[in-house]
Amino acid sequence: MEIIMSVLIGLLFMAAVYLMLSKSLIRIIIGTGLLSHGAHLLLLTMGGLSGDAPPVVADGVSVADYADPLPQALILTAIVISFAVTSFFLVLAYRAYQELGTDNMDLLRGTEDHE
């Protein structure tokens, strides 16, 4: 299962880098979303994919039979942060499109004449 997740993570990173290198602002935002999803899956895979044991240990239960809750907590925090960053990027792109009428990064850069 880890091999399949590793291939999926690699594909997500590959697609994210491809989209982030494009000139369209919307593609860049989608690329950052894919990159964050790849990072979430990477954290989950590195934490281990054994889903049989519960993350909470009760009194009297052997300590060897529990799942580590730290990767899930890190992923939850990363999901909240990536949602906030993506929504900020979307508002910023919408406002830039309203003002300038384009989402092309070359046209958003401006020219040397307008210093």
Side-chain angles (χ1 to χ4, degrees):
M1 185 69 173
E2 283 86 6
I3 299 296
I4 295 171
M5 292 296 284
S6 299
V7 170
L8 181 63
I9 292 166
L11 288 173
L12 282 174
F13 281 154
M14 178 190 63
V17 169
Y18 175 76
L19 287 173
M20 289 172 61
L21 291 176
S22 68
K23 294 182 181 181
S24 174
L25 194 57
I26 296 299
R27 286 185 177 197
I28 293 171
I29 294 170
I30 293 171
T32 57
L34 285 178
L35 187 70
S36 67
H37 287 310
H40 300 157
L41 286 177
L42 181 66
L43 284 172
L44 182 67
T45 305
M46 291 298 111
L49 296 175
S50 61
D52 295 339
V56 179
V57 179
D59 289 336
V61 178
S62 65
V63 181
D65 296 334
Y66 74 96
D68 188 15
L70 184 64
Q72 289 127 14
L74 287 175
I75 292 169
L76 183 61
T77 305
I79 287 171
V80 171
I81 291 171
S82 67
F83 176 72
V85 169
T86 302
S87 58
F88 174 72
F89 281 163
L90 284 172
V91 169
L92 190 66
Y94 178 70
R95 185 71 179 140
Y97 185 77
Q98 273 186 335
E99 288 292 321
L100 302 172
T102 185
D103 70 338
N104 190 345
M105 290 302 290
D106 286 339
L107 298 176
L108 289 175
R109 184 177 302 158
T111 60
E112 304 292 327
D113 302 340
H114 301 291
E115 290 181 0

